[in-house]
Amino acid sequence: MIDKRYVSMMARYNAWQNSQLRDLVKVADAAELHKDRGAFFGSIFGTLNHLLWGDTIWMSRWCSDVPAPDVGIPDSIAFTPDLDVWDTKRFRLDGRMRIWSETLRNVDLSGDLSWHSDALARDVTRPMAVCVAHMFNHQTHHRGQLHAMLSQAGMTPPVSDLFMMSEDV
């Protein structure tokens, strides 16, 4: 289904996308970032927080040095209290994700992953490759929402086309 090269490319893509978002939101008006725009997670900041929360929970399932979030999905919009904390956590997690992807072996993507899902209120087992692919799909899904909300706020969303990512990223 997927292999180490795909995971490494997507981890690089994730870091590139988040770097562009970090640069953009650092100079954005705070009111625009917190304005409820009718998206599933409300605001730009709420969606940024949910994305960081989602990446954190997935990475905690396969990296023992990444602690799981101490809040569930409903509270993921407040995962970090402000933009400075979000920026620091986002930068660090993106770096950890890159290291994980670079040390991953194809065999690590085989087999199943089991965990307790609070969202489903039960234990779940799924193929590891599906879980990893889902993490990257989840990122892309919510960055699409961010793109629309940033446009609504009068900001120019970052370039998101995968083929435009530099090999240097």
Side-chain angles (χ1 to χ4, degrees):
M1 178 179 171
I2 64 173
D3 64 10
K4 173 189 170 62
R5 291 175 311 181
Y6 169 82
V7 174
S8 181
M9 176 184 65
M10 292 307 291
R12 285 181 32 245
Y13 176 72
N14 172 67
W16 175 57
Q17 289 298 289
N18 289 328
S19 176
Q20 292 181 88
L21 285 169
R22 288 177 35 247
D23 289 346
L24 183 61
V25 299
K26 280 181 190 177
V27 298
D29 178 66
E32 289 295 331
L33 295 178
H34 292 277
K35 180 179 179 180
D36 188 336
R37 299 187 179 279
F40 194 79
F41 293 101
S43 67
I44 292 168
F45 187 66
T47 303
L48 289 169
N49 257 332
H50 173 73
L51 242 174
L52 176 61
W53 176 91
D55 288 350
T56 302
I57 202 158
W58 281 109
M59 289 298 293
S60 75
R61 291 176 178 148
W62 42 74
C63 294
S64 62
D65 63 329
V66 177
D70 56 1
V71 299
I73 293 172
D75 295 321
S76 66
I77 61 171
F79 184 50
T80 63
D82 59 51
L83 197 55
D84 288 337
V85 174
W86 173 84
D87 181 60
T88 299
K89 286 187 174 228
R90 181 77 269 176
F91 178 78
R92 287 181 178 159
L93 187 63
D94 290 345
R96 181 63 184 99
M97 196 178 294
R98 295 271 313 260
I99 292 167
W100 165 74
S101 74
E102 291 164 5
T103 59
L104 190 72
R105 301 166 301 157
N106 282 330
V107 69
D108 297 327
L109 296 166
S110 64
D112 291 334
L113 177 68
S114 297
W115 73 98
H116 180 80
S117 169
D118 287 342
L120 298 174
R122 64 182 172 87
D123 291 340
V124 178
T125 298
R126 297 288 185 270
M128 178 68 166
V130 170
C131 294
V132 173
H134 170 76
M135 179 181 70
F136 293 121
N137 187 61
H138 181 258
Q139 295 166 351
T140 300
H141 165 71
H142 287 300
R143 277 196 298 262
Q145 292 173 329
L146 286 166
H147 189 281
M149 289 188 285
L150 291 166
S151 295
Q152 289 173 356
M155 294 180 255
T156 302
V159 173
S160 61
D161 295 304
L162 180 61
F163 76 90
M164 295 180 88
M165 179 176 66
S166 168
E167 291 298 319
D168 298 335
V169 172

